[in-house]
Amino acid sequence: MKLWVLRHGEAELRANSDAERRLTAQGREQVLRSALHLQGQPLQAILASPYVRAQQTAALVHGTSNLAPPVTTVDWLTPDSDAQHVIAMLEKLELEEVLLVSHQPLVGILVALLEQGHRQQPAPLGTASLAELEGDWPLPGLMTLKALHHS
């Protein structure tokens, strides 16, 4: 399995709620740079948090590839979602090439858990950072971090 984990691009500091924060112009540019690393990848799914900035990020990635599948919104990719629950949901999907678009602290914890098997040292994913993990199963400690791209 190849799993890509993308943190949303830079977002506005203020909005009516955290979920409503939109990408800034710089955030959109960051995402487009990160999306270059996904070109040519045979993604089977793009799963995104319902938060506006993650939806915008996923839409930008989708728009850069003619082959990308449509974006699917899932409620288990919000900032405070449980990384173990995300792993359980990934197992159920039984897909080989997946892109997750989400937020800190979830993305850092998820990458660390999949690679190291624990949450003590979350991966340093800044805005629009893209982690590429590979392994037979999406289970704690069983995936290898192949690359970490920062925009």
Side-chain angles (χ1 to χ4, degrees):
M1 169 185 214
K2 188 176 269 191
L3 177 66
W4 301 85
V5 180
L6 176 62
R7 182 178 175 200
H8 62 80
E10 179 187 84
E12 303 170 321
L13 295 177
R14 293 195 168 97
N16 289 333
S17 71
D18 184 40
E20 295 176 54
R21 292 173 49 218
R22 304 178 61 77
L23 292 179
T24 63
Q26 179 177 334
R28 288 188 292 279
E29 289 175 21
Q30 290 174 326
V31 171
L32 291 173
R33 284 192 301 272
S34 290
L36 293 173
H37 298 288
L38 294 165
Q39 288 187 341
Q41 296 299 323
L43 295 174
Q44 294 173 291
I46 299 175
L47 307 176
S49 158
Y51 286 28
V52 171
R53 59 192 180 274
Q55 289 289 308
Q56 291 176 315
T57 297
L60 284 168
V61 170
H62 179 266
T64 64
S65 171
N66 295 338
L67 304 174
V71 175
T72 302
T73 303
V74 294
D75 62 0
W76 42 267
L77 285 177
T78 59
D80 297 319
S81 293
D82 178 62
Q84 289 281 23
H85 179 67
V86 172
I87 291 170
M89 298 305 288
L90 286 172
E91 280 186 276
K92 288 181 184 178
L93 293 175
E94 297 183 4
L95 297 172
E96 290 299 314
E97 297 265 349
V98 179
L99 169 64
L100 303 180
V101 181
S102 190
H103 319 263
Q104 283 288 31
L106 175 62
V107 292
I109 293 169
L110 179 63
V111 170
L113 190 57
L114 288 168
E115 180 193 20
Q116 303 164 14
H118 59 76
R119 309 165 186 248
Q120 281 85 3
Q121 296 175 319
L125 277 76
T127 53
S129 288
L130 178 67
E132 177 187 354
L133 296 125
E134 205 170 273
D136 292 334
W137 299 100
L139 294 173
L142 293 184
M143 296 196 82
T144 301
L145 181 62
K146 293 297 218 179
L148 184 56
H149 305 282
H150 301 287
S151 64

